[in-house]
């Protein structure tokens, strides 16, 4: 009798936010906890937010772009987070709106926030997506009450990203300072990733599911098919992409997904939350003192950069 096929290993890695040492430690811990053979053929899904807050976005992206050549038998998926989208928008790397409209036409919806958020008005701002202007702007407030910490340059805490490339926050020189291979990485990020057959361990044994990975989640009261079409097209005509930056409206799973067992895995929310097939893996949230976490499927095991594994 043929051996049953072993379920493929899937690792979903939460928001890294410019902390290369945490990323390297988490990567080592994943390999130690899983075992080299399985790890080397795993599907690795990065859930987005590689930049901002932490001290060295540049090193984080260097690490990520080195993975396909170092681990050629792994499959790597790099989702765009809202921070990465905004970084890419500042660099002019997001697609133009498919309807031929100008990015500037979408600023109006949020223009009452322009002064408070100090939107970027430097070189190249005239046809920049709103999130690029917010990302590189200079926020008036010094203290972020919601996070209990000082803002770092902008509402996105983008100053450390600028500085990791050797330029001051809000400088148009960033466009020239970011290497071409980093620009390619940012331009190639996907907004959503789907898998048709991912296994998870449950109390009733192994369960076969579909999987949708998206940085913040799917809007719970909108048609899933339409959302996926919009996300796959990287449709930039809207000033804010809810599936990358929403909060309460993307927290719950759309009810229609209960018809076919579907895992929805995200980062973004600054917490670790597992409820049925809704997985939110962002224990770090960009805080220096909090770990970066990953979830391993099918075991549902949580691995952190702070874990200690004996060398094998």
């Amino acid at each position: 009798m043929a051996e049953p096929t072993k379920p493929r290993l899937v690792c979903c890695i939460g928001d890294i936010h410019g902390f290369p040492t945490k990323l390297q430690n988490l990567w080592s811990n994943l390999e130690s906890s899983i075992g080299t053979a399985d790890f080397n053929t795993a599907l690795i899904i990065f859930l987005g937010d590689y930049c901002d807050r932490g001290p060295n976005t540049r090193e984080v992206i260097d690490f990520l772009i080195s993975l396909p050549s170092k681990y050629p038998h792994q499959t790597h998926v790099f989702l765009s987070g809202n921070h990465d989208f905004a970084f890419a928008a500042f660099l002019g790397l997001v697609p133009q709106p498919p309807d031929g409209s100008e990015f500037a036409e979408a600023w109006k919806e949020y223009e009452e926030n322009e002064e408070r958020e100090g939107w970027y008005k430097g070189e190249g701002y005239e046809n920049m997506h709103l999130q690029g202007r917010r990302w590189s702007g200079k926020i008036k407030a010094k203290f972020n009450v919601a996070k209990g910490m000082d803002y770092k340059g902008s509402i996105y805490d983008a100053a450390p990203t600028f500085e990791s490339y050797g330029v001051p926050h809000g400088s148009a020189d960033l466009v020239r300072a970011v290497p071409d291979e980093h620009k390619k990485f940012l331009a190639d990020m996907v907004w959503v990733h789907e898998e048709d057959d991912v296994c998870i361990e449950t109390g009733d044994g192994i369960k076969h599911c579909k999987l949708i990975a998206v940085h913040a989640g799917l809007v719970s009261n909108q048609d899933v098919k339409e959302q996926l079409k919009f996300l796959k097209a990287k449709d930039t005509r809207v000033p804010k992409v809810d599936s990358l930056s929403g909060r309460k409206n993307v927290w719950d799973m759309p009810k229609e997904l209960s018809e076919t067992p579907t895992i929805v895995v995200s980062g973004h929310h600054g917490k670790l939350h597992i409820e049925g097939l809704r997985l939110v893996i962002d224990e770090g949230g960009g805080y220096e003192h909090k770990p970066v976490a990953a979830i391993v499927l099918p075991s549902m095991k949580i691995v952190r950069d702070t874990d200690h594994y004996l060398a094998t």
Side-chain angles (χ1 to χ4, degrees):
M1 198 170 135
E3 283 277 313
T5 307
K6 193 174 176 183
R8 188 178 190 192
L9 207 91
V10 181
C11 304
C12 301
I13 296 178
D15 303 28
I16 299 157
H17 276 304
F19 287 99
T21 303
K22 291 184 185 186
L23 171 58
Q24 288 157 7
N25 290 342
L26 175 62
W27 190 259
S28 298
N29 286 344
L30 282 167
E31 184 162 4
S32 298
S33 67
I34 291 163
T36 300
D38 285 341
F39 182 65
N40 282 347
T41 56
L43 166 61
I44 313 284
I45 301 174
F46 290 90
L47 297 171
D49 278 1
Y50 314 112
C51 64
D52 302 341
R53 299 197 177 126
N56 210 322
T57 289
R58 182 176 185 147
E59 275 188 27
V60 166
I61 296 179
D62 276 337
F63 182 92
L64 297 175
I65 63 179
S66 76
L67 292 177
S69 59
K70 286 182 181 170
Y71 296 85
H73 301 296
Q74 286 180 345
T75 302
H76 305 99
V77 174
F78 301 106
L79 289 178
S80 175
N82 57 316
H83 285 255
D84 317 306
F85 174 80
F87 181 11
F90 181 76
L91 298 175
L93 300 173
V94 297
Q96 291 293 312
D99 60 359
S101 62
E102 299 287 328
F103 286 136
E105 292 172 40
W107 299 346
K108 299 183 189 74
E109 191 178 334
Y110 293 95
E111 63 190 359
E112 73 274 10
N113 299 331
E114 179 171 4
E115 188 183 348
R116 180 177 61 84
E117 294 179 354
W119 295 358
Y120 175 80
K121 284 185 179 169
E123 184 185 324
Y125 89 93
E126 295 87 353
N127 191 31
M128 186 179 285
H129 190 281
L130 171 63
Q131 300 308 324
R133 293 192 66 197
R134 295 177 75 228
W135 182 79
S136 52
K138 293 182 180 172
I139 191 161
K140 288 269 172 75
K142 289 286 171 265
F143 192 71
N144 183 339
V145 176
K147 289 202 167 288
M149 57 201 257
D150 286 341
Y151 282 109
K152 296 177 179 177
S154 70
I155 196 161
Y156 276 96
D157 298 318
T161 298
F162 279 84
E163 289 156 11
S164 76
Y165 289 97
V167 299
H169 177 69
S171 169
D173 290 340
L174 184 66
V175 178
R176 292 173 282 279
V178 173
D180 287 346
E181 60 267 29
H182 288 212
K183 288 177 178 170
K184 183 178 187 318
F185 172 84
L186 292 165
D188 289 348
M189 293 179 300
V190 296
W191 290 10
V192 68
H193 179 76
E194 291 181 277
E195 290 284 331
D196 283 334
D197 186 17
V198 170
C199 293
I200 61 165
E201 289 178 10
T202 71
D204 302 320
I206 290 277
K207 187 173 187 177
H208 289 262
C209 303
K210 292 190 169 191
L211 178 141
I212 298 171
V214 58
H215 180 63
L218 296 173
V219 179
S220 54
N221 62 355
Q222 289 180 13
D223 180 79
V224 170
K225 209 171 266 184
E226 285 301 309
Q227 291 188 69
L228 293 174
K229 183 180 168 188
F230 169 88
L231 293 167
K232 286 173 186 170
K234 300 210 264 192
D235 190 327
T236 58
R237 77 187 90 181
V238 294
K240 181 183 175 190
V241 181
D242 282 325
S243 290
L244 303 189
S245 59
R247 293 290 178 189
K248 289 179 182 172
N249 61 336
V250 295
W251 180 259
D252 294 323
M253 303 245 296
K255 285 194 172 53
E256 67 183 273
L257 290 180
S258 59
E259 294 161 19
T260 307
T262 304
I263 300 160
V264 177
V265 61
S266 304
H268 182 63
H269 295 279
K271 57 186 71 174
L272 185 69
H273 176 86
I274 296 167
E275 186 176 344
L277 299 179
R278 178 66 173 125
L279 315 178
V280 176
I281 314 298
D282 178 25
E283 200 166 18
Y287 289 91
E288 193 163 351
H289 61 284
K290 290 187 179 180
V292 173
I295 191 165
V296 180
L297 307 177
S299 69
M300 301 285 277
K301 181 177 185 175
I302 301 296
V303 178
R304 299 174 175 86
D305 72 289
T306 50
D307 294 341
H308 296 286
Y309 290 93
L310 294 172
T312 52

